[in-house]
Amino acid sequence: MSSGPETGSYAALFDASPTTTKLVTLGNLSRVGARPPLGQYVSLLWARRHFLWADARAKVTSGTRQSLLGQAWLILDPLINGAVYFVVFGLLMKGGKGIDNFLGYLLIGVFLFGFTTSSINGGARSVQTGKNLIRAFTFPRAALPISVVLRNLLNLGPTLVTLAALIYFIGPDEEYTWRLALVPLALALQVVFTTGVTLLVARWAAALPDVANLIRMAMRIWLYASAVFFSFDALLKDEPELKMVVEANPMFIVLDIVRDCVLYATTPDPMRWVWLGGWAVGMLLIGFITFWQAEESYGR
C-alpha cells in the first residue's frame, strides 16, 4: 500500500489519536452575540475607530458619486435651503424684523440644525439598514448609528466653509473678535449631544420601525422651536415662563452661542455653556447605555 504524501495528509486529518487534545467545557464557551460588559463594549468600539472613519469617508463619497455635480451637493443643498427660507421668512413673512444681520442669523440656524437633523434621521434607520451586517459579523452595534454621525460630521466641514464665506462676503460688516475661538467648542458639544440622541432613537426605531417616521415629524417641530428662522424675543416678551422653557432647548443654546460669537461679538453667558455641557454629556450617557442594553436584540 502506498504511503506517499497524500496518504500522510489523510492520516493526519482522520487519525483517531490526535497528538494534541483540548478539553472543551462550558467555561470555555461564550454565547455568540452576547452583550459584553459596558467597559469592554467601549473598548471594542474604540478599537474600530479607524474603520468607522474610513467607512464614513467612503459613504460620503459614494453618496454623491451618481449625481452630475457630485460632492458639490454637500454645499448646494444647505445653500438652496437657506435661500428658500430667506425668501419665505425674511422677505415674504418679514421674520427678520428686529434681527441684526438676519441672513447670517438664518444661515447659521439652517446649516447647523441640518447636521443634527440628518444625523438623527439617519441614525433612526441605521439598525434596520444594517441588518445584513449584524447577522453576518460580530461587532458593537453602536458602530452603526455612530457611523451616521461621523458621515454627517464630514459633510459639515465644507458646509461650514461655505457658511463662513457667505457671512463674510455677503452679510453686513461684522466685528470679528477672539470669541470666534469659542465656536469649535460649541460645535463639539453639539456633536456629542447629537450622538447621544442618535443612539437613543436608533434603539427606539430598532424596536419599532414606525418610530423613524415619528422622529422625522418631531424634527420639524424641533426646527421651529429652536429659533432657526425667527427670534423669540418679540414673540415671547410677555411670556417669561414659556421663554425660559424655549431657551433651555439644547439646539437653541447651540445656535444662540454661535450667533453671539460670530455675528454680534458678544461673550455667551457662562450658564449657557453649563446647560449645553449638561445636555451633551447627559444625553450621550443616556443614549449610549440605552443602546448598549438592547445589544442582543438588534440581530433578531
Side-chain angles (χ1 to χ4, degrees):
M1 185 175 179
S2 172
S3 58
E6 185 176 352
T7 305
S9 300
Y10 280 106
L13 279 174
F14 299 108
D15 189 352
S17 304
T19 57
T20 310
T21 302
K22 184 175 181 179
L23 180 63
V24 178
T25 65
L26 290 178
N28 296 332
L29 299 177
S30 60
R31 183 160 50 89
V32 175
R35 182 185 70 194
L38 185 58
Q40 183 183 350
Y41 193 75
V42 174
S43 298
L44 291 171
L45 270 175
W46 179 251
R48 288 162 174 78
R49 63 191 183 280
H50 300 299
F51 170 77
L52 289 175
W53 273 111
D55 179 65
R57 288 196 301 268
K59 288 180 178 176
V60 166
T61 304
S62 63
T64 55
R65 187 175 297 162
Q66 302 301 321
S67 60
L68 181 63
L69 297 178
Q71 295 190 33
W73 280 110
L74 299 179
I75 298 173
L76 289 174
D77 186 59
L79 196 60
I80 293 171
N81 284 334
V84 171
Y85 290 136
F86 179 75
V87 171
V88 174
F89 291 95
L91 301 181
L92 298 181
M93 300 181 64
K94 307 297 182 183
K97 281 187 176 181
I99 300 178
D100 295 333
N101 192 352
F102 178 67
L103 178 62
Y105 181 98
L106 177 66
L107 289 176
I108 287 174
V110 171
F111 281 38
L112 296 190
F113 198 91
F115 161 74
T116 296
T117 299
S118 299
S119 297
I120 293 175
N121 285 336
R125 301 187 300 269
S126 61
V127 174
Q128 291 298 322
T129 56
K131 282 287 188 183
N132 291 335
L133 278 176
I134 291 173
R135 289 167 180 166
F137 302 101
T138 300
F139 64 96
R141 313 315 191 200
L144 296 173
I146 289 175
S147 177
V148 173
V149 176
L150 291 177
R151 192 185 322 154
N152 284 286
L153 184 59
L154 291 174
N155 288 340
L156 184 63
T159 300
L160 291 177
V161 173
T162 305
L163 174 62
L166 289 172
I167 292 175
Y168 183 80
F169 290 109
I170 298 179
D173 292 336
E174 298 291 351
E175 179 187 357
Y176 298 108
T177 67
W178 62 268
R179 297 170 183 86
L180 290 175
L182 298 175
V183 173
L185 176 58
L187 297 181
L189 291 174
Q190 180 190 0
V191 172
V192 172
F193 169 77
T194 299
T195 302
V197 178
T198 302
L199 287 163
L200 190 62
V201 299
R203 166 70 184 93
W204 293 342
L208 185 62
D210 290 342
V211 169
N213 295 322
L214 297 176
I215 289 169
R216 282 198 297 270
M217 298 176 189
M219 292 305 299
R220 293 175 195 154
I221 298 172
W222 196 7
L223 178 73
Y224 288 97
S226 300
V228 171
F229 312 116
F230 46 78
S231 172
F232 285 113
D233 291 340
L235 292 174
L236 301 178
K237 62 180 179 180
D238 297 324
E239 302 287 344
E241 294 84 5
L242 183 57
K243 185 179 180 182
M244 187 180 302
V245 172
V246 168
E247 291 180 349
N249 170 4
M251 282 308 301
F252 176 90
I253 298 173
V254 170
L255 301 183
D256 194 48
I257 288 176
V258 174
R259 285 163 176 162
D260 280 348
C261 294
V262 176
L263 302 179
Y264 306 127
T266 302
T267 304
D269 185 343
M271 284 305 300
R272 311 298 280 163
W273 292 105
V274 172
W275 272 98
L276 183 56
W279 272 114
V281 175
M283 189 54 66
L284 180 63
L285 290 175
I286 292 172
F288 192 85
I289 292 174
T290 301
F291 189 93
W292 164 76
Q293 287 176 332
E295 178 76 4
E296 297 181 18
S297 68
Y298 299 128
R300 296 174 186 168

